[in-house]
Amino acid sequence: MFERTTRWNRWLATPAALMVLGVGAAATSAQVREEAPPPEPAWEWDASDPRIGLEAGHLDAEEAISNLEMLATLFKPEAFVGDEAAGRGFTNTDIAFQGDNVFLGNYYGFQIYDVTNPGEPRLRVAVVCPGG
């Protein structure tokens, strides 16, 4: 019986000792963090940056563009943004180009656009592939 009690006491003492050591280490690291100066920012924002202060939105977000010219905007087919897509079709994850075609893939399928006239792209096909 005495041997079992001794083993039990040793078993309890080890986690308790580790907790005491852990609390001491946490206090020491907290003291070190308080004494360390904050890191310098990686860059400074240019106050004239047109992206600062843009309003968010699903289909009406404000935009800023630099060194590019927007030629056209098309919204995704309803199947990719509706409730049945459950958010999987909103973001394009892959893009590929072949000839006058642009292939856009996402977690809910893909679309192929004809960009023969870049100012007036046309949706050629939209394929829904549920399941991610």
Side-chain angles (χ1 to χ4, degrees):
M1 176 79 175
F2 181 74
E3 186 177 322
R4 292 174 107 186
T5 305
T6 304
R7 286 184 187 165
W8 179 254
N9 289 342
R10 282 189 214 151
W11 184 80
L12 284 176
T14 303
L18 290 175
M19 286 176 51
V20 169
L21 289 174
V23 168
T28 304
S29 65
Q31 291 168 352
V32 171
R33 271 189 264 130
E34 290 175 359
E35 295 170 10
E40 293 294 322
W43 72 90
E44 293 292 329
W45 284 100
D46 178 1
S48 65
D49 188 328
R51 297 172 294 177
I52 295 176
L54 290 177
E55 293 293 324
H58 176 72
L59 298 175
D60 59 350
E62 291 183 337
E63 301 172 351
I65 193 168
S66 179
N67 297 322
L68 297 170
E69 178 184 353
M70 183 183 303
L71 300 177
T73 299
L74 294 176
F75 295 111
K76 286 187 181 225
E78 179 61 30
F80 289 88
V81 293
D83 291 339
E84 65 274 2
R88 295 184 301 266
F90 183 71
T91 304
N92 287 325
T93 57
D94 303 288
I95 186 170
F97 302 89
Q98 183 181 36
D100 290 331
N101 295 310
V102 175
F103 302 82
L104 297 174
N106 58 49
Y107 298 111
Y108 201 61
F110 64 93
Q111 302 98 53
I112 302 173
Y113 291 91
D114 178 354
V115 292
T116 303
N117 179 355
E120 296 180 20
R122 292 183 302 123
L123 178 65
R124 297 186 81 183
V125 65
V127 178
V128 172
C129 303

